[in-house]
Every structure is written in C-alpha cells, then in structure tokens.
Amino acid sequence: MRRRSVLLAVPAGLVTLAGCGDEKSDTAKTKSSSSPSPSASASSAPPPKIVDGPLPAITAGTKFDEKPTVAKGSGDPSKDLAVKTVIAGSGKTVAENDYIQANYLGQVWDTAKVFDNSYDRKTPLVIQLAEGSIIDGWRYALAGKKAGSRVLMSVPPTWGYGKQGNTQAGIKGTDTLVFVVDVQNTFNAKSSAQGKDVAQDDAKLPKVGTNTDGKAPSIDVPKTAAPTKLVANYVIEGDGDEVKADSSVLVQYKGVLWDSGKEFDSTYSRSALTSFSLQQVVKGWSQGLTGKKVGSRVLVVVPPKLGYGDNPPSGSGIKKDSTLVFSVDILAKM
C-alpha cells in the first residue's frame, strides 16, 4: 500500500503521517455526500451506453464559460447516458482519474429547475474524475473530451444520485439530470507549473529545477546553515489567481531534508496529485503558499517551529527539529 502525504494535520493541531490508504479518496472527503454538486456519487453502476440524445436546447449563454440557460426536457429522457459536445475544445484530453477544472450548471429534466451552478459562485469546480469522487455520469461523459469543450449531457438516476436522489438539492430518485459542463483544464500526475522562470541567485538557499515535463524537479540544498525563518520564493511564477489563507489547492510537490537532501515525501513518486485546504497543513505551507499565484512553482523552506518541531510523523524519516525543503507546483485553486 502507498503512503499518503505527511502534510495533513489532525484536528488536535498535531501533524501526522496518515496510514496506508487509497490516494484518490482525498478529494472526495472535501465534499459532503449531501452536496447538490456532481461530487457525490450514489453507487457504482455498470458502464452506460452513450447516445446522442435526446437533449434539451441551450437557449441563452451559448458561449464557452458563459452561464447557460437550458430549456425544459421534451418528452421522456433517454434511459442511457446522452452526451453532446456543443463546443469542441483543443486543449489536453481528459482521462478518467484526472482532475478537471470546470464551470457547470445542473437542472432537472422534467422541470428545468436549476439545482446547482458554479457560474454564480464565480468559482469553477476542481474535482477528480474518479469513482467515489463524482457521479458516474460525469466520469463517463467527460472522459475523452478536450479542455476548452462545452459538454451537454442528460444523466439518468442510475449514473446520477440513484434511487435515493439528493434531498438537499430537491432531486428525486426518479429524476434525470441535465448538465452543461465547460471544461477549462485537466490535470494529472504529469502536470507541472506553467509560467516564467525566476532567478535563483541566493547561494544560501536551495536551487530547484525548472523543468515542466511532469518529472520531479531537482532540489540542491547548499552546505550552509539552514535559515531560521520561513522562505517562500517563486521558482516559476504563474499568472493565475492568488491563493488565499483559506483556499484549497491542487498541487504537485517534493520534500527533502535540509541536513541530508534526502527525499521524504513526493507526489511524483506516488504518481498522484494531492489536494487540501491550507488550513489543514503545517504552518510553513499555509503561510508560504498564501499570496502565491496559481500556475507557480514555489521553493518553501520550513523551519522546525513552522513544521513538525519535536514531534515528526512516525515512520516519515523526519527527525526532530528538522528543517524541510519543498518544491511546490500550485496547479489549481479549488
């Protein structure tokens, strides 16, 4: 079994190394099972047959990433998963288990009642297309689509919220759901920061590689005394939104010990991205990433008092009062 990230803090405020488990479940835990968003899957079902229709028309807001208005469904909906690419994008191809960033609107076929949309919140959804993280209709409808695409789909209960529906959203167990999804981006284990390289000219600080090929960057730690204060410097500066203190982020990262340069944790070695709230991680991360731009690679040097201090996670290979060095790629804000 694979080891999870050592970054997460337990509610009591101590930072711990979580036990063995499935990496893909992390994002699902950030969403309530009663959420009206597509993040709550009812149960695993056999793969659906995908058909072209019928599908209601988009009557207004017809441009990509513009809030749509969708007509009421006409007649009976398909018992299969109906999917149509309304606008074909030219970006990266979405694969199952990728994380997608998308705006969406969801409504009930029979009534055209909108039960959820991200456009009004002005915050796109970032979620993993993985079983247990999202309704199956999205998993099957969006796999193979390209970033920049607008996808219209109708999802029968079997691949939506099942016979129990979703009472919070006013969705009955017999309701077929209609979604418009604007796929802005997709991320996987090969994703990297995207931006401009920033000079690393302080010989007393580690040097981080600037490769953006999805491989782990090098971290060269100088043979000097570790800084006693937090360091958080751009290695690559992106042009996305700034991360806030209460933001959740999707990242690639690698962590090494200052004293030895030995790696103790890495998403690259697990081939799995990690997402979390900055309120759940060690203080060095929450303080160091706040204010940084999405798309960036950041060198974060965490002194013991902002890391694990004299209580490092068991089995992590981190000794007491260790200074930690991280390269962090901020892929998306959630």
Side-chain angles (χ1 to χ4, degrees):
M1 290 187 288
R2 294 175 295 173
R3 190 180 67 183
R4 283 186 181 172
S5 165
V6 301
L7 293 171
L8 297 184
V10 296
L14 298 177
V15 182
T16 184
L17 176 67
C20 294
D22 188 354
E23 299 293 331
K24 71 183 182 183
S25 65
D26 289 352
T27 298
K29 293 177 183 178
T30 68
K31 298 287 185 179
S32 167
S33 61
S34 61
S35 168
S37 80
S39 59
S41 184
S43 61
S44 179
K49 178 182 179 182
I50 297 179
V51 297
D52 294 333
L55 286 163
I58 299 174
T59 58
T62 57
K63 297 179 181 179
F64 180 80
D65 232 16
E66 184 178 18
K67 181 184 176 181
T69 300
V70 183
K72 179 181 173 181
S74 178
D76 293 330
S78 175
K79 295 186 182 301
D80 299 313
L81 179 63
V83 182
K84 180 181 180 181
T85 301
V86 180
I87 299 172
S90 58
K92 293 179 291 184
T93 301
V94 176
E96 187 166 3
N97 293 318
D98 281 3
Y99 287 80
I100 61 164
Q101 178 175 296
N103 272 316
Y104 69 95
L105 178 141
Q107 67 184 47
V108 177
W109 174 281
D110 287 336
T111 63
K113 176 187 175 183
V114 175
F115 57 83
D116 192 25
N117 89 89
S118 64
Y119 301 92
D120 289 347
R121 293 193 292 271
K122 301 188 185 303
T123 302
L125 175 71
V126 178
I127 197 166
Q128 191 176 20
L129 285 186
E131 184 177 344
S133 294
I134 198 166
I135 60 171
D136 288 335
W138 275 50
R139 288 174 51 218
Y140 292 112
L142 297 180
K145 305 301 183 185
K146 293 182 180 292
S149 295
R150 166 167 282 192
V151 180
L152 174 64
M153 68 180 88
S154 73
V155 182
T158 301
W159 298 283
Y161 294 105
K163 294 181 180 179
Q164 72 270 28
N166 186 311
T167 54
Q168 179 183 337
I171 297 170
K172 301 191 298 291
T174 56
D175 284 338
T176 289
L177 310 178
V178 177
F179 289 98
V180 176
V181 183
D182 288 323
V183 183
Q184 298 178 343
N185 210 341
T186 184
F187 307 97
N188 58 35
K190 298 297 184 183
S191 296
S192 292
Q194 299 292 329
K196 295 181 179 180
D197 293 358
V198 176
Q200 302 178 70
D201 49 14
D202 189 337
K204 295 181 180 180
L205 292 178
K207 299 292 187 296
V208 178
T210 57
N211 58 296
T212 56
D213 55 1
K215 296 179 180 179
S218 59
I219 302 178
D220 296 323
V221 182
K223 297 185 182 302
T224 58
T228 57
K229 294 183 179 180
L230 177 69
V231 174
N233 296 341
Y234 283 121
V235 175
I236 298 173
E237 185 173 358
D239 60 2
D241 293 342
E242 289 189 358
V243 174
K244 298 180 180 179
D246 60 352
S247 293
S248 292
V249 290
L250 178 68
V251 302
Q252 285 266 41
Y253 72 89
K254 174 181 173 180
V256 304
L257 301 172
W258 181 284
D259 288 344
S260 65
K262 181 180 178 181
E263 178 182 309
F264 62 86
D265 194 16
S266 171
T267 57
Y268 301 95
S269 62
R270 294 194 298 273
S271 297
L273 304 179
T274 292
S275 62
F276 47 76
S277 167
L278 291 189
Q279 296 178 323
Q280 293 179 309
V281 291
V282 294
K283 291 181 180 179
W285 267 59
S286 58
Q287 294 177 18
L289 296 185
T290 297
K292 295 296 188 286
K293 298 175 185 175
V294 172
S296 299
R297 175 171 297 165
V298 184
L299 164 68
V300 184
V301 182
V302 181
K305 64 182 179 181
L306 297 178
Y308 303 110
D310 62 359
N311 189 27
S314 174
S316 65
I318 301 172
K319 297 179 180 179
K320 292 182 179 180
D321 298 320
S322 290
T323 296
L324 310 178
V325 182
F326 293 96
S327 169
V328 186
D329 284 16
I330 308 171
L331 302 177
K333 186 170 71 170
M334 305 174 74

